[in-house]
Amino acid sequence: NTYFDYSTPNTTSSTASNGSETSVSLQEFLDWSETTAPMMGSALPTFLHVLFTFFSKAEYSETDATRETTFPPGVTPIFIPILTIEKPPSTAKFATSTPTSSFFHEPHWSSFDLFALSCTSLSLSSGRWHRLFSSEANGLSCNRLMHSILGYGGPTLLLIRSKDSRSEGKCGTSVFGAYTVTPWDQESGSFYGNSDCFLLRLGPDAMGVYRPKGGGDKIVEGFKKTSRSESNNSHNFMYFNPEARSKGYDGLAHGIGFGGTAEAPRLFIDEVLDGCRASSDDMTFENGPLLSGLDSSNSSHFDVEAIEVWGVGTSSQIDEALLARDGQREDAAKKIRQAMKGAKGQFLEDFQSGLAGSKLFQHRQEMRGRDGGCDLDEDDEDRTE
């Protein structure tokens, strides 16, 4: 329980579960809200403006009353997001009803977790979240997760819930994840992205948001690519490296990661879900635990129970990002078709020229030796024929 101590100006008191009280100054609270939940200050102005507009619509005509609420330049609104999900082609493309989620209870507008996440970033409070992947709907597979986000052209929020694996020396149940504005538009053994991202812990321990530490060159737009040979790991924002890219010969971690290094990202979802981990520190993001209930008896490794990825932003931003993903998939399919067509055409050309036949029976000539230098016995020759 938290309450204001009016006898001491600018001080807030909190009663812990053991009955002890701790005080938090107003300045400490403001500093916390500025870094952890910068959109929290927009909640009251948004509420008052929407409330005033609602009662003022009685004076409008019927046409005016159906208009969306507009906000003055001095007010940055915060919205509890509407959750949408893609539907099969036989139905509507999008369903605006709340989709099944492993993280947000229904009705979604009453979810405190949604409100808390909306307070952390402008994109997360812009009105719509579109589900790109759900382990409940798509299966618990990192390969499917990577396929669902590759090419998506907008900000994304990744949420993970871990199993209670303390008996195996791992962490207990935790909810944590990461947010990034940079699109997942490339497969690489190097980090990329920009400083508009953060790691987060949602529960059951107190919420934590860990933003980039800064330092070095400030990245304003675009992305800075970071190779594994760089000694400065302060820009290792996001990492997307499937094993198929290098056939597993690059010696790097294979999966999705944030922070840390290419060999050991701070937050890492292993491609086979065996080596997932969430460390408490690295050179890129602020230090702090991602997992709840960590102590000397467990490690930073975790077993995945559920994963969801949401595309976030305004409806127009999400629609454009989905189109970018569709374009990327079509380009990839086109390259595959061209490769198959080229391979088929080369085979037909070899077959028509007789080259294919000579290749098919080349092993017989090799068995006889090169340039006639190794003759087979008569019995062996009969067996080969």
Side-chain angles (χ1 to χ4, degrees), residues 192-270:
Y192 60 102
N194 62 37
S195 58
D196 199 354
C197 60
F198 57 79
L199 306 178
L200 64 96
R201 180 182 65 186
L202 195 56
D205 287 354
M207 181 177 178
V209 175
Y210 311 111
R211 301 183 187 274
K213 295 177 180 178
D217 297 333
K218 183 176 181 180
I219 304 173
V220 179
E221 56 185 38
F223 61 84
K224 174 182 173 64
K225 201 171 181 181
T226 309
S227 67
R228 53 177 164 162
S229 61
E230 282 192 56
S231 59
N232 181 11
N233 295 324
S234 63
H235 292 126
N236 290 359
F237 299 114
M238 52 193 287
Y239 180 81
F240 190 102
N241 184 26
E243 184 177 8
R245 184 192 65 84
S246 63
K247 309 301 182 184
Y249 295 122
D250 56 5
L252 304 177
H254 297 125
I256 298 174
F258 299 85
T261 65
E263 292 79 12
R266 175 176 174 180
L267 173 57
F268 179 61
I269 304 176
D270 185 71

Side-chain angles (χ1 to χ4, degrees), residues 14 102 146 233 240:
S14 178
S102 299
M146 299 173 84
N233 295 324
F240 190 102

Side-chain angles (χ1 to χ4, degrees), residues 48-58 60 68-70:
L48 292 176
H49 187 79
V50 172
L51 188 66
F52 175 78
T53 304
F54 174 79
F55 285 106
S56 298
K57 282 183 178 180
Y60 297 157
E68 293 185 0
T69 302
T70 57

